[in-house]
Amino acid sequence: MTIDKQLVWVRDPNEGFLLARLQELMGEEADVFPVDNKYPKRVVSFDDIFPAGDPAKDVDDNCELMFLNEATLLNNMLIRYKKRKIYTYVANILLAVNPYEDIPDMYSPSTIKKYHGRSLGELPPHVFAIADKAFRDMKALKQSQSIIVSGESGAGKTESTKYILKYLCELWAKSAGPVEQKILDANPILEAFGNAKTTRNNNSSRFGKFMEVHFNNKYQVVGGHISHYLLEKSRICTQSSEERNYHVFYLLCAGAPQELRAALKITKPDDYLYLKNGCTQYFTTPQSGKKISASQMSKQHQTKGGLRDPILDDVEDFQRLHLALSRVGLTEEEKRSVYSVVAAVLHLGNVEFEEEGGARGGCRVSPHSEGELQVAAGLLGVEAGELRMALVSRLMQSSRGGMKGTAIMVPLKTYEAQNARDALAKAVYSRLFDFIVHRINTSIPFQASSYYIGVLDIAGFEYFQMNSFEQFCINYCNEKLQQFFNERILKNEQELYRREGLHVPEIRFVDNQDCIDLIESKNHGIFHILDEESKLPKPEFSHFTHAIHKELGANNSRLQVPRASRLKAHRTLRDDEGFLLRHFAGAVCYNTQLMDKLKENGTNFVRCIKPNSRMVGGEIEGSLVLTQLQCSGTISVLALMEHGYPSRAPFNDLHQMYNQYLPPKLQSLSPKVFCQAIVHSFGLSDKDYKFGVTRVFFRPGKYSEFDTMMRSDPENLKSIVDAVLAWLVKSRWRRAVFSVLSIIKLKNKILYRRECLITIQKSVRGYLVRRAHRPRYKGIAKIRALENNLKEMDSVTAQLKKEKDSAKKNIENLRNSIRSACATIKGNAKISRTEIDQLYNKLTKEIESQMAALQKSMIDQKNREEQERLRRLEAELRLAEEAKRKEAERLRQEEENRRLKAEMEARRKAEEAERLRQEEQDRRAAEILQKQMEDAARADLENRERLEQERRDHEMAVRLAKETNGHVEGSPPQLRRSERVRMQQALQGKQKYDLSKWKYSELRDTINTSCDIELLEACRHEFHRRLKVYHAWKAKNARKSTMADQERAPQSIMDAAKSPRVQQKGEILGARHRYFRIPFVRAGDGANDKRGWWYAHFDGQYVARQMELHADKTPVLLQAGIDDMQMCELNTMDRPTDLRTRYQEVLVYKVQNVELSDVPYS
């Protein structure tokens, strides 16, 4: 959107603010064109845009501007400065811009007289107006006053202080004799010894002072006193290249007479260590520069010439210093002593040291410095040897060796001796400064004091590339002063507005209390940590800095490490070499006595402003001025004054002040009515003043108009009195009219209230009746509501199958109880709420009890029905599952039987084929064996016959020998075993184990326990071989009559077991457990109806169990390992033809069924 090209101020980093025109609004920003074409078009945030008003107009008080903001404040100061108007107000605060040049008639005696007794704002702004206000406030309020002159270095604080003192002494110290001159003479002395050239100011005060001008009860000057704070001692030994030491050193070099300089051995600044590292030029004028000889000039002065400043001249200022010292009471000898101490400091700085060889170590004064040492000692009035010893050693005192101990001189190293020299120089100069201030104070005559006006001039906020402890103390002091300013001007002012009932918007300002706490807190502040560090045996800067960062810097935004600085030189420092403290703006020194004095006094503020960094007249830098205004808190004051009332006066004070100017009929008025009459009679706008609870408040500049009117000539005063009387008549008439109207309004209000009371009475009576009977009808309603519960109980009862009649009877009784309770409540008008509640609770409990019983019966009934249903359902499920399981089992068994039968048939066919193959193999083997046995039998027979013949021959020979007493050689021939036995022995010899000598029990135990498969198999073969032999022997020798009864297997089985077979290893076709059944008829049983059954269970090759069943006999079950002697010795390869039929092998379940039904044990 486009708008009218309104003039505005926009923020600029170089100029502070630029005048521009609004071109277009764009959301949170605006497009602006600077009025000056050398600046480009820019887009600026609305936070940086301020209305301009009339930029060419200037006002004395910035509160009179059309728009109160920091931009219009800066513009007003710039315009006034260019018009050589260096003073401006912000309400009661004076802003003073240093002109760096003399302004004619600015501080003349005529100007002093012009401001005498004039109210603030009545004349153009001036430092004299502040001084006069302080005097008038002291006189009116009976309270001492303080004027705080603040600002950064070079802003003109010292000059403003001098002019304030000049004003006070010029008007009220004439009758005090020398007091005026003594106070004024203190300035050149203090400036010579306490001021120095810095990069920001040619005459910078390097100490703080509070100069008091004391008054008696008649408000005449009766004395003065000077307090000083924080002299910058580090400047005595070191300065930067653009700065100088204290003025007095250069005054002595440039302005002292030749004989004095010769006596003090003073030459030029280049010859002194404490001067040559800084600026060595003198301040001169064209006339005074000619008085300096070449021997007094430094190389820098000869090359660049003298420095120029309108108020400084090192040649002439020495004479002014010399006269001022005389006027404050110093004799020629005392002045000579002062100059000697100053010169001694310079010579002391030239003393140098070198390492001293030997076992003691330490250092000594360099030979070329002995002359300087002698001069310094002479000027100080001490022995040169003692001074030398003090510089190169330190005294230690042990706890032994008497009451005071033993004194030990410890040699110092070179750098330690240099530090000791510098410390001595600082201490000497500091004591000299204290002495001078003391002599000034003692020279000022002093009588009984009632009040005083103190002027505080203290160094402003300092920030150099290298900032030491002294800068820290200076900045800390300024933090305290800024806090005092915030409390006195901003916080207390707003609190007063709230107490007096003035609705002024709250102004927020930056509170620096956290920074002050960070510095001065007793338990963990920077000063506390520094104090603890100084108590250590060997304090170190790195340890102190580390403690600062560790204890204070963790969660504090104001304290940071050096590398957080924007200055490149600071970012090169290590963390243990320094710390960065974020101040509010200005800082310096702290003293409890000073702050107490300021808080007890009335306070006036003078804010000195430095216009440019070059310190030249006629130039002003907007950005520099704006920064100083922001740092001093002036912007916050301006925001407060936009809605505030800086001038105020209590009603009693105004009444007493102007009572003498008014006729008696007005003097009798009360103070508040008097003030109201006076203010209203002047016709001031309601925006220009406000009446509080105890005082009247005026907008900026309006109190001066009021005061001017009150002090005007008699003719004017008569018109004022007439106006006041007219206002009183009008106010009384208005009060009377208001009273009549109030009475009429009161009558109407009474009638209205009567109607309201009748309505209230009706309402109250109805309410009381309703409240009295409310418990009864509410109780009946509650009891009747219980019938709904009875209906529910009826529905539950209808579902019952048992005890239904008794439940109905109980419900009917409850219904009758409800009717009876309602009748009781209706019939008793005095029944109480408690009795009704008791009836209701009784019925409720009965209904609940009956309802619970019905619900329990209903639940029990449902549970029984549900349990019965579940039982039937469970039985049906079990039957279905059992039938399903049996069917599945039957199908599975049938399938298993079919599979087993198929396996049996396949195995039978395989065995039949194997049997045929084996029979053929056996037949061939039998034929071979039969042939071998026949051959063996034939050979054996022949051998037997031969042996028998030889035996008979031997017997015959023996008989013949006996008969003839002869001798027979050789033994009779022995009968040899048959070849069959030799074959069997040969067969056994081929086996791995020789078991021929094992006992029956050993074979059986091995079979039952051994894990060796080959040994187990060998034992089983040997065991069954022996059983065969045993059964064969037993059958051969058994009686024929008992053979049939002892027969435990069919004869075919027994015959098959006798046939010789070749031993087979392993299972037959992989079937280990097999079952067979064949008919069993003993030899003695001829009838077929006595046929039994013989069952055999083969475990591998041999019978593990055999069972015989006969119709007329007890079943017999024989098990291997128990009944071995009775069992049939048959293996699977010995089966007879009876076992080879198709249907003789059976399944295992048939054998198990037979065992379970017919056999008494298994």
Side-chain angles (χ1 to χ4, degrees):
M1 60 177 292
T2 59
I3 59 174
D4 295 336
K5 295 182 179 180
Q6 179 184 352
L7 282 175
V8 294
W9 292 106
V10 296
R11 197 179 300 276
D12 183 78
N14 298 321
E15 302 296 334
F17 287 94
L18 293 177
L19 188 64
R21 294 186 182 277
L22 280 176
Q23 184 71 16
E24 189 170 354
L25 303 182
M26 300 179 298
E28 301 295 327
E29 299 175 330
D31 193 4
V32 298
F33 283 92
V35 174
D36 193 339
N37 293 330
K38 71 177 181 179
Y39 299 105
K41 171 187 174 182
R42 62 191 68 187
V43 177
V44 185
S45 170
F46 280 114
D47 293 336
D48 297 328
I49 300 177
F50 300 93
D54 185 359
K57 179 183 178 182
D58 71 284
V59 295
D60 291 342
D61 190 342
N62 288 281
C63 296
E64 298 175 5
L65 292 168
M66 182 182 300
F67 300 104
L68 291 183
N69 53 63
E70 53 186 303
T72 55
L73 170 64
L74 176 63
N75 178 65
N76 187 50
M77 294 184 65
L78 296 180
I79 293 175
R80 291 178 63 83
Y81 185 80
K82 293 173 182 178
K83 296 178 180 180
R84 306 189 78 182
K85 300 177 181 178
I86 63 174
Y87 294 116
T88 313
Y89 289 131
V90 176
N92 295 336
I93 300 173
L94 179 68
L95 302 180
V97 185
N98 194 342
Y100 292 118
E101 60 184 3
D102 290 331
I103 300 177
D105 202 36
M106 178 64 74
Y107 307 104
S108 64
S110 60
T111 304
I112 293 176
K113 292 180 181 179
K114 184 170 64 175
Y115 278 88
H116 176 49
R118 308 301 291 269
S119 298
L120 197 69
E122 188 175 346
L123 293 176
H126 202 286
V127 69
F128 291 163
I130 296 296
D132 191 81
K133 176 182 179 298
F135 179 82
R136 288 187 293 106
D137 288 347
M138 176 187 70
K139 187 176 179 180
L141 304 176
K142 305 295 190 294
Q143 182 187 21
S144 297
Q145 299 292 310
S146 296
I147 301 175
I148 299 177
V149 183
S150 61
E152 68 174 58
S153 180
K157 300 185 298 297
T158 303
E159 293 301 309
S160 296
T161 301
K162 288 193 293 186
Y163 291 131
I164 291 172
L165 294 174
K166 180 180 179 181
Y167 182 86
L168 295 175
C169 295
E170 182 77 16
L171 292 176
W172 295 286
K174 294 295 184 182
S175 61
V179 173
E180 175 189 6
Q181 188 61 41
K182 300 288 186 184
I183 295 176
L184 296 178
D185 285 339
N187 281 316
I189 300 173
L190 295 176
E191 287 183 11
F193 286 90
N195 288 24
K197 176 188 180 302
T198 67
T199 57
R200 298 187 177 95
N201 186 5
N202 290 336
N203 192 29
S204 175
S205 296
R206 307 316 299 163
F207 70 103
K209 59 180 178 290
F210 189 64
M211 307 184 70
E212 303 171 12
V213 180
H214 287 259
F215 299 83
N216 59 16
N217 55 4
K218 295 182 180 180
Y219 307 106
Q220 294 296 319
V221 174
V222 293
H225 186 267
I226 299 173
S227 303
H228 73 282
Y229 313 94
L230 275 179
L231 176 68
E232 187 184 16
K233 300 176 186 177
S234 61
R235 183 171 294 274
I236 298 169
C237 303
T238 57
Q239 314 89 37
S240 65
S241 59
E242 298 297 324
E243 296 187 352
R244 297 201 320 174
N245 208 322
Y246 289 106
H247 292 326
V248 67
F249 295 108
Y250 305 93
L251 266 60
L252 202 61
C253 293
Q258 176 61 34
E259 58 273 13
L260 178 61
R261 287 189 289 109
L264 301 179
K265 293 184 170 43
I266 294 296
T267 56
K268 58 182 179 296
D270 286 346
D271 296 336
Y272 302 102
L273 177 66
Y274 287 167
L275 301 180
K276 66 182 181 181
N277 293 325
C279 175
T280 56
Q281 296 169 265
Y282 298 124
F283 281 101
T284 61
T285 61
Q287 295 76 19
S288 63
K290 298 176 182 179
K291 300 178 182 180
I292 304 175
S293 64
S295 61
Q296 296 174 266
M297 297 182 185
S298 65
K299 293 181 180 179
Q300 191 179 39
H301 187 92
Q302 294 176 356
T303 304
K304 298 181 179 180
L307 300 173
R308 295 290 188 264
D309 190 274
I311 61 174
L312 295 178
D313 186 341
D314 290 337
V315 178
E316 301 298 332
D317 286 347
F318 179 81
Q319 300 301 324
R320 283 192 284 268
L321 171 65
H322 194 74
L323 294 175
L325 289 174
S326 300
R327 284 196 292 266
V328 295
L330 268 70
T331 64
E332 290 297 325
E333 183 179 356
E334 288 176 328
K335 288 188 287 185
R336 183 69 173 262
S337 298
V338 169
Y339 300 147
S340 297
V341 173
V342 174
V345 171
L346 293 178
H347 290 294
L348 187 63
N350 286 346
V351 178
E352 297 181 357
F353 306 92
E354 62 183 18
E355 295 292 337
E356 184 176 23
R360 281 184 82 244
C363 66
R364 64 182 179 183
V365 176
S366 299
H368 65 272
S369 299
E370 281 293 338
E372 297 286 354
L373 179 67
Q374 296 290 338
V375 173
L379 294 174
L380 292 174
V382 298
E383 293 292 334
E386 293 182 358
L387 179 60
R388 182 186 298 105
M389 183 63 67
L391 291 176
V392 298
S393 62
R394 61 186 176 93
L395 180 65
M396 287 186 61
Q397 196 164 4
S398 67
S399 59
R400 299 180 180 179
M403 185 174 181
K404 294 185 178 179
T406 303
I408 303 173
M409 301 302 294
V410 179
L412 300 178
K413 297 179 180 179
T414 302
Y415 74 91
E416 292 176 334
Q418 292 171 353
N419 292 338
R421 176 200 64 197
D422 294 345
L424 178 60
K426 294 175 183 177
V428 169
Y429 191 85
S430 177
R431 294 290 182 88
L432 175 64
F433 191 80
D434 293 342
F435 168 75
I436 291 174
V437 174
H438 172 70
R439 289 303 302 268
I440 294 173
N441 286 331
T442 56
S443 69
I444 301 175
F446 200 93
Q447 302 176 17
S449 172
S450 299
Y451 313 101
Y452 69 85
I453 296 177
V455 183
L456 177 64
D457 175 14
I458 199 160
F461 180 75
E462 292 191 347
Y463 50 97
F464 302 108
Q465 184 170 336
M466 296 298 295
N467 299 288
S468 64
F469 175 71
E470 290 171 337
Q471 276 74 41
F472 174 75
C473 293
I474 290 174
N475 294 340
Y476 166 58
C477 183
N478 277 269
E479 288 282 0
K480 295 291 289 187
L481 290 176
Q482 185 63 42
Q483 183 193 41
F484 176 75
F485 176 81
N486 291 342
E487 291 182 354
R488 184 59 61 92
I489 299 298
L490 299 175
K491 187 182 296 184
N492 294 350
E493 187 80 4
Q494 297 188 72
E495 181 63 29
L496 176 63
Y497 291 162
R498 284 191 290 270
R499 287 200 309 268
E500 295 290 334
L502 277 65
H503 302 290
V504 176
E506 182 179 2
I507 303 299
R508 298 190 177 275
F509 55 91
V510 178
D511 191 356
N512 62 339
Q513 183 62 48
D514 59 333
C515 184
I516 295 174
D517 293 340
L518 180 67
I519 298 172
E520 70 177 7
S521 179
K522 292 183 179 180
N523 296 325
H524 54 272
I526 295 177
F527 280 145
H528 172 75
I529 296 175
L530 181 61
D531 184 53
E532 293 296 321
E533 184 69 25
S534 66
K535 295 177 182 178
L536 297 177
K538 191 175 181 181
E540 294 182 0
F541 74 91
S542 59
H543 181 268
F544 166 70
T545 312
H546 177 72
I548 290 290
H549 290 305
K550 180 180 179 182
E551 298 183 21
L552 305 179
N555 298 312
N556 199 313
S557 60
R558 287 194 180 266
L559 187 66
Q560 294 183 352
V561 294
R563 60 176 177 270
S565 173
R566 294 185 178 182
L567 189 63
K568 183 178 180 181
H570 292 166
R571 292 198 294 270
T572 60
L573 296 176
R574 298 195 306 269
D575 290 353
D576 61 351
E577 291 181 342
F579 58 87
L580 185 67
L581 183 62
R582 300 189 181 280
H583 291 279
F584 170 77
V588 178
C589 176
Y590 169 75
N591 184 281
T592 305
Q593 180 186 3
L594 169 64
M595 296 308 299
D596 289 342
K597 286 185 178 181
L598 295 180
K599 292 178 180 178
E600 292 171 358
N601 299 346
T603 311
N604 299 273
F605 292 93
V606 177
R607 296 296 198 189
C608 296
I609 305 297
K610 185 177 181 179
N612 59 77
S613 56
R614 296 175 57 231
M615 296 181 292
V616 296
E619 293 184 10
I620 188 166
E621 300 173 7
S623 59
L624 179 62
V625 174
L626 179 61
T627 300
Q628 296 174 76
L629 292 173
Q630 292 171 340
C631 293
S632 64
T634 307
I635 303 300
S636 300
V637 175
L638 190 68
L640 177 62
M641 290 302 105
E642 183 178 2
H643 306 283
Y645 301 85
S647 301
R648 77 288 311 268
F651 297 141
N652 291 329
D653 293 350
L654 284 178
H655 186 264
Q656 294 176 5
M657 188 179 300
Y658 301 116
N659 199 20
Q660 55 183 329
Y661 302 106
L662 300 177
K665 56 185 175 181
L666 294 182
Q667 294 178 1
S668 60
L669 296 175
S670 65
K672 186 171 184 179
V673 174
F674 169 81
C675 293
Q676 290 176 344
I678 292 294
V679 172
H680 284 100
S681 64
F682 287 164
L684 296 176
S685 172
D686 292 342
K687 297 180 180 180
D688 295 337
Y689 66 91
K690 286 284 184 182
F691 284 100
V693 178
T694 61
R695 65 197 72 196
V696 60
F697 295 82
F698 294 94
R699 295 284 292 160
K702 298 303 177 182
Y703 182 75
S704 61
E705 297 179 11
F706 174 81
D707 184 64
T708 302
M709 293 178 184
M710 292 300 296
R711 299 176 188 272
S712 58
D713 56 83
E715 286 298 325
N716 236 354
L717 188 61
K718 183 178 182 301
S719 63
I720 292 174
V721 171
D722 293 340
V724 170
L725 293 175
W727 182 86
L728 287 174
V729 171
K730 292 177 183 178
S731 64
R732 289 168 182 167
W733 171 251
R734 284 194 295 268
R735 189 178 297 110
V737 172
F738 177 76
S739 299
V740 172
L741 292 175
S742 299
I743 292 172
I744 296 173
K745 186 177 181 181
L746 180 61
K747 183 200 73 170
N748 295 333
K749 186 178 291 185
I750 291 173
L751 294 176
Y752 172 74
R753 286 183 176 180
R754 183 176 180 275
E755 296 178 359
C756 293
L757 287 174
I758 294 174
T759 303
I760 292 173
Q761 188 180 36
K762 291 190 298 183
S763 302
V764 169
R765 286 178 177 175
Y767 167 75
L768 293 176
V769 172
R770 287 191 296 273
R771 187 179 68 175
H773 297 288
R774 185 180 293 116
R776 296 175 64 201
Y777 67 75
K778 282 191 174 182
I780 292 173
K782 287 197 300 182
I783 291 174
R784 284 179 177 174
L786 295 176
E787 292 182 351
N788 295 327
N789 297 345
L790 298 183
K791 293 180 181 178
E792 294 180 5
M793 294 171 64
D794 287 336
S795 63
V796 174
T797 303
Q799 300 176 14
L800 291 177
K801 297 180 180 179
K802 297 180 180 180
E803 301 178 352
K804 182 182 294 187
D805 295 337
S806 62
K808 289 182 177 179
K809 183 177 179 181
N810 292 334
I811 293 172
E812 188 61 30
N813 292 336
L814 290 173
R815 190 170 282 112
N816 293 332
S817 298
I818 291 175
R819 297 193 188 102
S820 176
C822 292
T824 300
I825 295 173
K826 289 179 179 179
N828 187 4
K830 296 183 179 181
I831 190 169
S832 65
R833 184 191 299 270
T834 304
E835 293 174 339
I836 295 173
D837 291 340
Q838 289 176 351
L839 286 174
Y840 175 76
N841 293 335
K842 180 181 178 181
L843 290 172
T844 302
K845 290 180 180 179
E846 292 177 356
I847 291 174
E848 289 177 351
S849 176
Q850 186 62 28
M851 188 66 178
L854 287 175
Q855 289 176 348
K856 185 176 182 303
S857 300
M858 195 65 192
I859 291 172
D860 292 342
Q861 177 178 310
K862 290 182 178 179
N863 288 341
R864 288 194 298 271
E865 293 175 352
E866 183 65 18
Q867 289 175 0
E868 180 64 23
R869 187 184 68 80
L870 291 176
R871 187 187 62 77
R872 292 195 301 268
L873 183 60
E874 185 180 359
E876 293 174 357
L877 289 175
R878 278 200 302 270
L879 291 175
E881 288 178 357
E882 183 64 20
K884 184 177 179 182
R885 186 188 62 78
K886 288 182 178 180
E887 179 64 20
E889 180 65 22
R890 183 184 65 79
L891 294 175
R892 188 190 64 76
Q893 188 64 41
E894 289 179 356
E895 182 64 26
E896 183 67 17
N897 291 342
R898 283 195 295 272
R899 184 183 63 78
L900 293 175
K901 287 180 179 180
E903 290 180 357
M904 289 167 57
E905 181 62 22
R907 190 164 54 246
R908 188 192 63 78
K909 291 180 179 181
E911 288 178 353
E912 184 66 22
E914 179 65 20
R915 183 187 60 78
L916 294 176
R917 186 188 63 78
Q918 189 65 35
E919 284 181 353
E920 180 63 25
Q921 184 178 354
D922 291 347
R923 185 183 62 78
R924 293 176 183 174
E927 291 178 354
I928 296 171
L929 182 59
Q930 185 64 32
K931 186 175 183 303
Q932 290 176 352
M933 291 178 66
E934 288 177 357
D935 293 340
R938 204 168 33 250
D940 183 62
L941 179 59
E942 292 176 354
N943 188 41
R944 282 177 177 274
E945 289 177 353
R946 183 180 59 80
L947 290 175
E948 182 64 25
Q949 184 64 42
E950 289 180 356
R951 183 184 62 79
R952 286 195 297 270
D953 291 343
H954 183 73
E955 289 178 356
M956 186 178 290
V958 170
R959 280 196 308 270
L960 290 175
K962 285 181 180 181
E963 292 176 356
T964 61
N965 293 325
H967 176 70
V968 179
E969 295 180 356
S971 60
Q974 298 294 325
L975 183 63
R976 297 176 62 187
R977 293 184 180 179
S978 66
E979 188 65 27
R980 184 175 182 177
V981 175
R982 290 197 304 270
M983 291 177 63
Q984 290 179 353
Q985 291 178 348
L987 183 61
Q988 291 177 355
K990 294 179 180 179
Q991 295 182 352
K992 183 177 181 180
Y993 301 98
D994 184 9
L995 306 176
S996 59
K997 296 182 180 180
W998 282 36
K999 297 179 181 179
Y1000 165 79
S1001 59
E1002 293 175 345
L1003 293 173
R1004 175 50 62 186
D1005 291 341
T1006 303
I1007 292 171
N1008 293 333
T1009 60
S1010 177
C1011 295
D1012 189 340
I1013 302 299
E1014 294 184 358
L1015 177 58
L1016 181 63
E1017 193 67 23
C1019 290
R1020 293 185 68 180
H1021 285 301
E1022 178 62 20
F1023 180 76
H1024 287 285
R1025 186 190 66 77
R1026 293 184 185 184
L1027 285 181
K1028 278 189 176 184
V1029 174
Y1030 169 73
H1031 286 303
W1033 172 81
K1034 184 177 179 182
K1036 181 179 180 182
N1037 295 285
R1039 291 184 300 174
K1040 300 301 183 181
S1041 60
T1042 61
M1043 182 62 187
D1045 295 334
Q1046 296 177 356
E1047 189 175 350
R1048 290 292 177 247
Q1051 188 61 39
S1052 58
I1053 299 300
M1054 301 303 294
D1055 293 340
K1058 296 177 183 178
S1059 302
R1061 296 287 180 181
V1062 179
Q1063 292 184 355
Q1064 300 292 331
K1065 296 183 179 180
E1067 300 176 358
I1068 303 301
L1069 299 178
R1072 180 173 181 84
H1073 293 277
R1074 303 179 68 183
Y1075 304 87
F1076 295 90
R1077 183 185 68 172
I1078 59 175
F1080 184 11
V1081 180
R1082 286 193 170 89
D1085 297 334
N1088 290 335
D1089 56 352
K1090 292 184 178 181
R1091 184 180 67 172
W1093 292 97
W1094 183 79
Y1095 292 88
H1097 169 204
F1098 283 86
D1099 183 4
Q1101 300 181 27
Y1102 302 101
V1103 178
R1105 292 183 300 173
Q1106 69 181 49
M1107 181 172 57
E1108 54 181 292
L1109 302 176
H1110 297 278
D1112 56 349
K1113 294 183 180 180
T1114 302
V1116 178
L1117 176 63
L1118 303 179
Q1119 296 183 5
I1122 299 176
D1123 306 306
D1124 294 324
M1125 297 303 180
Q1126 301 177 24
M1127 293 178 64
C1128 171
E1129 186 56 36
L1130 181 71
N1131 60 32
T1132 52
M1133 298 306 299
D1134 296 336
R1135 285 173 295 172
T1137 307
D1138 294 342
L1139 294 178
R1140 297 170 188 166
T1141 59
R1142 179 175 183 179
Y1143 298 104
Q1144 294 307 307
E1145 186 171 1
V1146 296
L1147 300 176
V1148 63
Y1149 76 92
K1150 292 186 177 182
V1151 178
Q1152 291 175 348
N1153 293 339
V1154 171
E1155 290 178 346
L1156 293 173
S1157 60
D1158 298 331
V1159 182
Y1161 59 89
S1162 65

